[in-house]
Amino acid sequence: MDPENKVLSSQRRRLLVQALAGATLMGGVALSGRVMAQALRGAPENVLDVAIIGAGLAGLTAARDLQRAGCEAFVVLEARDRVGGRTYNHDLGNGVVSEAGGQWIGPNQTAIFDLLRELGIDTFPTYYQGRTVYQVKDALYAQDLSSGQNPGSPIVHKLDALARTVPSKEPWTAADAERLDRLSVGQWLAQQGVDNVERLSFDTSIGLTTGTPPANLSLLHYLSIVNSADSSMEKLEGFKGGAQETRIVGGSQVVSQQMAQAMGERVRLACPVRRIVGWDCDIVELHTDQGVFRARQVIAALHPGLCQQIEFDPPLPEGRAQLQRLWPCHAPMRKTVHVYERPYWRDKGLNGQVSQADGPLILSYDNSPPDGSVGVLAAFVRTAQLPQDADRARDTLSAIYAEALGREGLHPTQFHDHDWGKVDGWSLTCVGSIPPDFLTRWGRYLKPAVGRLIWSGTETADIWASGMDGAVRSGHRAALEALQALSRRSA
């Protein structure tokens, strides 16, 4: 079935220009909806105003903004058989979920909080009170870090000071960008003379945020992420007052599900885009498994590496093509879930966080529902050290939990395992992890539009890139760019 669209008549084009010219922009697209709707209504035809590739937070936010602005001639093309992108909920029954992908939000992430308020979705605090258990070989020790981790560390202060010199919007423009980009975070830490205990702490926290060891991570890139968090590593990596402080009632995927529900048939699932023809022409053709869609503007709300799975005709300009080809996809992340009858570790003064220095468990954490009606331990694991077989993986982690948190850990009622590198062909990786010498060479090609193609997705965000907040911000920006492009073409 061919997609429907509305053509802009000369009168409607004038109305669209008037709507855009008189618009007030508040964190996205708050246009004169009535005038915009008049501008975009007309007889159905075979050309869309906007085609959006990807039904994650970025793509659906862009679609929602278009719809709120009165633009009805759009479609969202999603390769998976679900919405949500890199957010996904495990259904544990009785309304309880555990997130397999992105899940936390925190202070200063105003875009995602604003979206939740508009959608009527509640939040609740992450449970982190109590002692964290560390396991080094056969030794166990517990420490209460709920008030923050090493807030007085001189190395953390030095890193924060460096972050203030690296703008998150365009880190490659920093005064010392080339030197910082040549260094990995691991090399920089080694230069600071950190001891083994402190290095383990840095390796764990940075690895969880970026999905890769500090040795593989550009210092420039990491500083730009810290810059987003008020130039505070504590706020970026921490729970209390940090980016992991808050969870979403119903799980993070519910945000995308609710946005998609309001768009009905405009969201096409199991509809991967295979080929894009004429991105440099007035009308772009998108060849999909459900037919050909034609649009005046295209928003590609995709991980840059996934763009490599699309054939572009004509080929993209060299800079953009190289960025997509070389974009790293080596941080897939694997998360597991153990479900228990109750969060028994809380009774022992423990917060459910267990970290191994050299085993398969990077970090577990309490992911129970707000009322604590069942106990949920989610975990980031080292894929190479944990069996792929589900039963063996469950039992391996259960034994670790039993030793660290109590014998109850041996008896989970459910187990779930989600490896983002293997779950489907449309993920490749979960978080962004940029290696040295990449941003200063290719970063400038990440955001600028190419012909009718507008790039979106969390990696393109000006702040909180690679987070859910960054995805929402990038969706707002992309929708605004698309509307402005339509107005310029009709002027």
Side-chain angles (χ1 to χ4, degrees):
M1 177 179 176
D2 289 333
E4 291 187 351
N5 190 40
K6 316 290 192 289
V7 177
L8 293 172
S9 67
S10 59
Q11 179 183 5
R12 288 165 39 242
R13 288 172 179 169
R14 287 195 298 273
L15 288 169
L16 175 57
V17 174
Q18 293 170 11
L20 283 165
T24 300
L25 304 177
M26 296 282 293
V29 185
L31 299 173
S32 302
R34 187 173 180 180
V35 176
M36 177 67 77
Q38 292 173 354
L40 294 173
R41 287 195 187 105
E45 216 179 77
N46 194 30
V47 179
L48 296 155
D49 286 318
V50 185
I52 300 170
I53 308 173
L57 283 170
L60 290 170
T61 295
R64 183 171 182 267
D65 280 358
L66 292 176
Q67 193 172 40
R68 294 172 75 196
C71 175
E72 299 289 345
F74 68 87
V75 69
V76 182
L77 307 173
E78 170 56 50
R80 301 177 182 88
D81 60 1
R82 63 170 183 83
V83 301
R86 284 172 272 179
T87 62
Y88 178 68
N89 290 345
H90 291 299
D91 184 357
L92 307 182
N94 298 317
V96 179
V97 302
S98 183
E99 302 91 338
Q103 68 173 86
W104 289 301
I105 55 179
N108 300 328
Q109 296 186 348
T110 54
I112 183 68
F113 274 107
D114 287 344
L115 178 60
L116 293 173
R117 279 192 291 270
E118 291 172 6
L119 295 174
I121 298 174
D122 292 330
T123 62
F124 67 104
T126 302
Y127 190 92
Y128 56 84
Q129 295 81 8
R131 291 170 292 151
T132 298
V133 178
Y134 295 90
Q135 185 178 49
V136 182
K137 297 189 183 300
D138 295 329
L140 292 173
Y141 71 95
Q143 184 178 2
D144 189 341
L145 300 173
S146 57
S147 61
Q149 185 172 3
N150 297 326
S153 167
I155 296 175
V156 170
H157 289 321
K158 187 173 182 179
L159 191 144
D160 291 349
L162 272 177
R164 287 191 284 272
T165 71
V166 178
S168 60
K169 182 177 181 179
E170 295 179 332
W172 50 89
T173 65
D176 205 12
E178 290 191 4
R179 183 184 70 85
L180 296 173
D181 200 28
R182 283 194 299 268
L183 282 173
S184 73
V185 177
Q187 289 171 325
W188 184 83
L189 288 172
Q191 292 175 1
Q192 312 312 307
V194 296
D195 59 33
N196 290 337
V197 173
E198 194 169 17
R199 181 59 186 264
L200 173 62
S201 175
F202 278 112
D203 285 0
T204 299
S205 60
I206 293 173
L208 288 173
T209 296
T210 64
T212 195
N216 299 335
L217 186 69
S218 160
L219 178 60
L220 181 71
H221 171 61
Y222 185 65
L223 292 173
S224 73
I225 300 175
V226 177
N227 182 274
S228 290
D230 278 350
S231 294
S232 168
M233 182 183 176
E234 285 296 306
K235 290 184 179 180
L236 175 67
E237 309 287 4
F239 284 88
K240 183 178 181 179
Q244 285 67 236
E245 186 176 60
T246 303
R247 292 177 59 199
I248 297 170
V249 173
S252 52
Q253 191 185 7
V254 74
V255 184
S256 295
Q257 291 169 333
Q258 191 161 317
M259 286 193 288
Q261 185 176 6
M263 295 167 201
E265 294 182 357
R266 290 188 182 86
V267 178
R268 305 291 186 93
L269 301 180
C271 188
V273 175
R274 307 292 186 180
R275 188 167 181 248
I276 296 178
V277 179
W279 53 264
D280 56 345
C281 301
D282 286 343
I283 305 299
V284 185
E285 290 187 351
L286 294 89
H287 296 248
T288 79
D289 288 2
Q290 296 182 22
V292 177
F293 293 79
R294 303 171 71 228
R296 295 180 175 84
Q297 293 293 144
V298 176
I299 295 174
L302 297 172
H303 181 281
L306 277 176
C307 294
Q308 277 299 97
Q309 299 188 18
I310 301 173
E311 178 188 353
F312 294 89
D313 181 12
L316 294 174
E318 182 65 14
R320 175 68 201 193
Q322 285 285 73
L323 175 134
Q324 293 176 179
R325 185 177 68 83
L326 298 174
W327 192 277
C329 297
H330 58 264
M333 303 294 280
R334 181 180 175 190
K335 290 176 74 173
T336 63
V337 179
H338 278 62
V339 183
Y340 297 93
E341 291 184 356
R342 53 190 303 277
Y344 67 89
W345 49 89
R346 297 183 183 180
D347 299 337
K348 308 171 190 285
L350 303 172
N351 58 18
Q353 295 180 28
V354 181
S355 180
Q356 285 188 309
D358 50 7
L361 178 62
I362 301 174
L363 179 72
S364 66
Y365 53 94
D366 188 327
N367 215 42
S368 306
D371 60 2
S373 55
V374 295
V376 180
L377 281 180
F380 296 93
V381 299
R382 298 180 177 94
T383 298
Q385 297 184 43
L386 188 69
Q388 289 294 326
D389 177 78
D391 289 343
R392 292 177 59 204
R394 177 199 61 207
D395 293 346
T396 298
L397 293 173
S398 295
I400 295 171
Y401 296 152
E403 185 175 2
L405 304 174
R407 298 286 297 174
E408 299 94 328
L410 291 173
H411 307 293
T413 59
Q414 292 185 47
F415 174 73
H416 300 271
D417 190 347
H418 199 89
D419 187 338
W420 284 94
K422 297 180 178 180
V423 67
D424 59 46
W426 314 111
S427 296
L428 297 182
T429 186
C430 188
V431 293
S433 54
I434 306 301
D437 287 324
F438 185 89
L439 281 180
T440 49
R441 295 184 65 189
W442 308 111
R444 64 184 182 275
Y445 301 110
L446 177 60
K447 301 176 188 179
V450 175
R452 307 302 176 197
L453 301 175
I454 297 168
W455 310 107
S456 186
T458 185
E459 285 79 13
T460 70
D462 289 345
I463 62 174
W464 294 110
S466 83
M468 292 191 292
D469 185 80
V472 173
R473 290 177 187 275
S474 77
H476 287 318
R477 175 188 52 78
L480 179 57
E481 285 189 29
L483 290 168
Q484 289 175 331
L486 289 171
S487 73
R488 286 195 299 269
R489 294 174 65 181
S490 63

